[in-house]
Amino acid sequence: AHLQVPTDADVVPPRAASVRGGVEGTRMATEQASNRASKRQKVGEDSVVLGDLVGKRIAITGAQGFLGQHLVAQLEACGAMVLPVRHAEYDLIEQGAVRRLYADLKPEVLIHAAGAVGGIGANVKNPGRFLYENAMMGLMVLEEGRKAGLKKFVLVSTVCVYPETAGKDEGGIMREECMWDGKPNPSISSYGLSKRILQETLQMYHKQYGMASATLVLTNLYGPNDHFGENGHMVPMVVARYCDAVRLGLASVTNWGTGRAIRDWVYVGDAARAICLAAASQAEALCDGTPINIGSGQGNTVRELCEACQKASGFKGEVLWDETKPDGIARRYCDVSRARDLLGFRVEVSLED
C-alpha cells in the first residue's frame, strides 16, 4: 500500500502492556496535548507567505497518511484547492495512471508525501521491491508532471537518506552537505537510497528544464493520527506504554537502554506547516531542489521523552531502565540552519506540549 513514510529508523522498545484496548485513550491524550500546543503556533509572518496558496490547485500523494491528513487540513485552512491523490484511483508506479492523474486533477503544485513502506523487517527482506517502487513512484510523478506543465514539485524526504555515520565527528548533528558521505543504515538503505535518487533528480530537472522543486528532509514525526499499534514510531509507543500502565494499574514500566540517546522529534503539525511554506515560497533554494532539514535543531533524550509521557499520563509507579538493551546511536539530530535561513521555519510545538 502507498502510505505515509515512517521516519524512526531506530529499534522500537517493547511495551509494558498491549495497546489493544488502550489505543483510543492514548490517541485522545495525544490529541488533547497537541491541540493545546497548536493554539500557540505562529500565524503572523507565515501568513504573508502562505497567502500565495489561496486558490492554488495542490495535489497531495499520501494524503490519507499520518502526515498527509495534517497537510490537507493546513492547506485547506490556507485557502488552497486541495486535490488528494488516492491509491485506489491512481497507481503511482503505472505510467498511464499517473498521466490520467494530471489530466484529471490539473494541479499547479504537487506534494509527494506517499511511499511504499513497511517495518524494518520488511525492508530487509524486500530491499529490491522497496527501492524500485519508491524510486519509480517519485520519478513517474515528476516526469509526467513536467510534461503536463506542473509549476512546482515538493518532495517530502526523510532522514533515512543520511549515512549511518552522519554527524559522528560533530556530536551527532546531521548537515545536508554530508548526505552523500556514506550509505544509509542497511536496515533502511533501500528506502533511503530511493529518496536520494529523487532528491538528485529534482536538481537535475531544475538544471535542464528549469522545473521548480523543493526538497524537505523530515526527521521523526509524532502527533494525532499516528500509528499506535505494533511497529509504530517511538513516541506513540512510549505514550501507549505509560497510558496502558495507568489504565491497567501496573506497578512499573520498563524502558530500553539508559535513556541517554538523543533523537530529533518534530510535531507533525509543524512539519506540515514547513511543507506549506515550501509549496508557497518562490525563493531560489525552494525552487531548485536544495535539500532542507526539518527538525528541532537540538533533539531530546529518550529519557526526556519518557518523563514527558509519564507526566502527561499521570503514571505514579516505578520506572525501570533495562540497560542490557541497546541505546543505538548516541546522538542524532538535524542541523536546521537552512530551514531557518531559507524557509523562515522554526518548530513551535515542544515535545512536552
Side-chain angles (χ1 to χ4, degrees):
H2 300 297
L3 305 171
Q4 173 52 36
V5 172
T7 47
D8 272 310
D10 296 314
V11 175
V12 177
R15 305 212 4 225
S18 171
V19 175
R20 195 178 304 277
V23 173
E24 192 59 34
T26 299
R27 185 177 293 115
M28 289 177 63
T30 305
E31 290 182 1
Q32 288 168 1
S34 60
N35 287 339
R36 290 195 300 271
S38 65
K39 292 179 181 178
R40 295 194 291 276
Q41 288 189 317
K42 64 178 181 179
V43 294
E45 59 191 75
D46 286 354
S47 64
V48 176
V49 177
L50 296 176
D52 291 340
L53 297 178
V54 175
K56 190 160 288 186
R57 298 177 64 85
I58 302 179
I60 307 174
T61 68
Q64 294 173 298
F66 169 42
L67 171 61
Q69 293 177 59
H70 292 267
L71 191 52
V72 167
Q74 290 203 25
L75 285 169
E76 288 179 341
C78 291
M81 183 178 295
V82 180
L83 309 168
V85 178
R86 298 180 176 85
H87 178 60
E89 299 173 6
Y90 305 103
D91 186 341
L92 300 183
I93 61 174
E94 295 294 335
Q95 188 174 31
V98 177
R99 284 181 179 172
R100 182 164 50 82
L101 180 162
Y102 284 105
D104 293 347
L105 304 183
K106 297 178 175 60
E108 298 170 78
V109 176
L110 184 135
I111 299 172
H112 185 44
V117 302
I120 290 178
N123 275 273
V124 171
K125 187 177 181 180
N126 305 284
R129 182 171 71 84
F130 280 109
L131 177 60
Y132 170 79
E133 290 192 6
N134 283 295
M136 184 59 69
M137 192 188 312
L139 292 171
M140 195 77 71
V141 173
L142 176 62
E143 172 62 5
E144 293 302 322
R146 180 190 69 81
K147 293 178 180 178
L150 184 70
K151 293 182 179 179
K152 189 168 188 178
F153 186 101
V154 180
L155 173 64
V156 178
S157 190
T158 165
V159 290
C160 291
V161 300
Y162 278 99
E164 192 171 11
T165 56
K168 183 178 180 181
D169 299 325
E170 293 190 83
I173 190 165
M174 297 181 287
R175 303 184 190 279
E176 293 93 340
E177 57 268 26
C178 299
M179 204 169 286
W180 287 89
D181 287 354
K183 290 185 177 181
N185 182 290
S187 66
I188 43 84
S189 62
S190 60
Y191 182 66
L193 289 172
S194 71
K195 289 297 185 181
R196 280 194 192 180
I197 291 171
L198 296 178
Q199 291 180 189
E200 290 295 302
T201 303
L202 291 184
Q203 295 185 54
M204 299 300 176
Y205 268 50
H206 180 73
K207 182 177 180 179
Q208 181 172 351
Y209 305 116
M211 186 173 183
S213 63
T215 297
L216 300 186
V217 183
L218 273 56
T219 188
N220 308 307
L221 305 183
Y222 67 92
N225 303 318
D226 204 345
H227 176 60
F228 287 87
E230 297 300 324
N231 298 318
H233 297 163
M234 184 180 289
V235 173
M237 294 292 277
V238 174
V239 169
R241 179 183 306 147
Y242 280 93
C243 288
D244 284 351
V246 171
R247 179 177 59 84
L248 298 173
L250 300 181
S252 67
V253 298
T254 301
N255 302 310
W256 271 23
T258 66
R260 291 192 290 268
I262 293 177
R263 295 294 180 266
D264 201 344
W265 290 292
V266 169
Y267 173 63
V268 65
D270 275 334
R273 177 167 54 86
I275 296 168
C276 292
L277 288 169
S281 177
Q282 298 302 312
E284 182 177 355
L286 275 303
C287 292
D288 65 6
T290 297
I292 299 175
N293 286 337
I294 301 299
S296 69
Q298 59 182 26
N300 293 91
T301 65
V302 172
R303 186 177 292 270
E304 288 172 335
L305 166 64
C306 292
E307 289 173 348
C309 292
Q310 180 182 5
K311 179 180 178 181
S313 68
F315 178 69
K316 304 296 184 183
E318 184 179 13
V319 177
L320 305 173
W321 292 87
D322 184 354
E323 297 188 10
T324 66
K325 305 301 184 186
D327 277 334
I329 299 172
R331 298 170 63 90
R332 197 168 173 86
Y333 60 98
C334 292
D335 172 28
V336 294
S337 300
R338 289 186 184 179
R340 181 189 63 237
D341 299 340
L342 303 177
L343 192 59
F345 171 81
R346 291 179 175 84
V347 296
E348 294 294 325
V349 181
S350 70
L351 183 64
E352 184 175 10
D353 286 334

